Amino acid sequence: MKTTDKILSLLKTKGAMTAQQLADSLQLTSMGARQHLQQLTRDGLVDYIDEASGRGRPRRLWQLTANSQGHFPDSHQVLTVQMLDSIDVVFGEQGLEQLISHREQQTAKQYQQALASAKTLAERLTCLVALRNREGYMAELQHHEQGYLLLENHCPICAAARRCQQFCRSELALFQHLLGPQVAVERGEHILEGARRCAYHIREITNDAM
């Protein structure tokens, strides 16, 4: 993978970073990281914001631009949107609902087979992250005191989801179905609402909370 691709991937998964942070992560010199960032800026893939930090000089944080999203896969987005438009015209809203419901059922069946041997919530989530990564979601799992945070740093069906937001509702329902009634799943961040990523807060429901 080219260094510029690694920089884009880091900014996608970690959010805004300084040139020094990028240099440390990629074992580059500070000057080398800045040279790559300058190239990415000329290409329109990154820009920066200066963040005030006390009395010293502001920190320069590098971040992805909207143009950079084309660098990450979005599964046949033009064809997908055209097909959704056609389904809407021919079969109406009910047809779209049936399509999404069928997709949810098929995905649930595939995921359930993959998660069959997972016993604990942590094992199920680890398996789910692996499945989502295979599909291009750049997913990761974080543990905290209240439970888990499932992060999806990229949405490979973003164009389709913008056209038909029932896809997002369906995926939330899919996670809840897979993890079971004793687990609470809430979406805290949403790419379609302007967030950098989708984030799902996941926790086991105790008897006291029921």
Side-chain angles (χ1 to χ4, degrees), residues 81-142:
V81 171
Q82 289 175 343
M83 290 182 66
L84 290 173
D85 288 339
S86 296
I87 292 169
D88 193 14
V89 170
V90 176
F91 300 105
E93 189 69 22
Q94 185 177 0
L96 279 175
E97 288 286 352
Q98 291 176 343
L99 171 69
I100 293 168
S101 177
H102 178 72
R103 175 182 180 271
E104 182 180 328
Q105 291 171 14
Q106 292 298 105
T107 303
K109 182 178 179 180
Q110 295 170 6
Y111 281 20
Q112 283 173 331
Q113 291 175 348
L115 270 64
S117 61
K119 303 302 181 185
T120 67
L121 176 59
E123 290 174 349
R124 295 200 298 275
L125 288 173
T126 299
C127 185
L128 180 59
V129 166
L131 289 168
R132 300 296 278 181
N133 275 329
R134 289 177 201 164
E135 296 174 9
Y137 285 87
M138 299 177 72
E140 57 184 293
L141 184 66
Q142 295 181 3

Side-chain angles (χ1 to χ4, degrees), residues 22-43:
L22 288 166
D24 292 342
S25 297
L26 297 174
Q27 298 183 332
L28 299 172
T29 64
S30 179
M31 179 61 71
R34 286 187 172 85
Q35 288 175 345
H36 288 297
L37 287 167
Q38 288 170 2
Q39 179 60 54
L40 289 168
T41 301
R42 289 193 292 270
D43 293 341

Side-chain angles (χ1 to χ4, degrees), residues 171-186 205:
E171 293 202 330
L172 184 60
L174 172 65
F175 290 167
Q176 183 65 75
H177 173 71
L178 288 170
L179 299 175
Q182 300 300 315
V183 177
V185 183
E186 298 177 356
I205 302 174

Side-chain angles (χ1 to χ4, degrees), residues 12 45 65-74 77 154:
K12 181 71 169 170
L45 300 177
T65 66
N67 289 337
S68 71
Q69 299 311 308
H71 184 82
F72 301 94
D74 194 340
Q77 57 179 335
H154 180 60

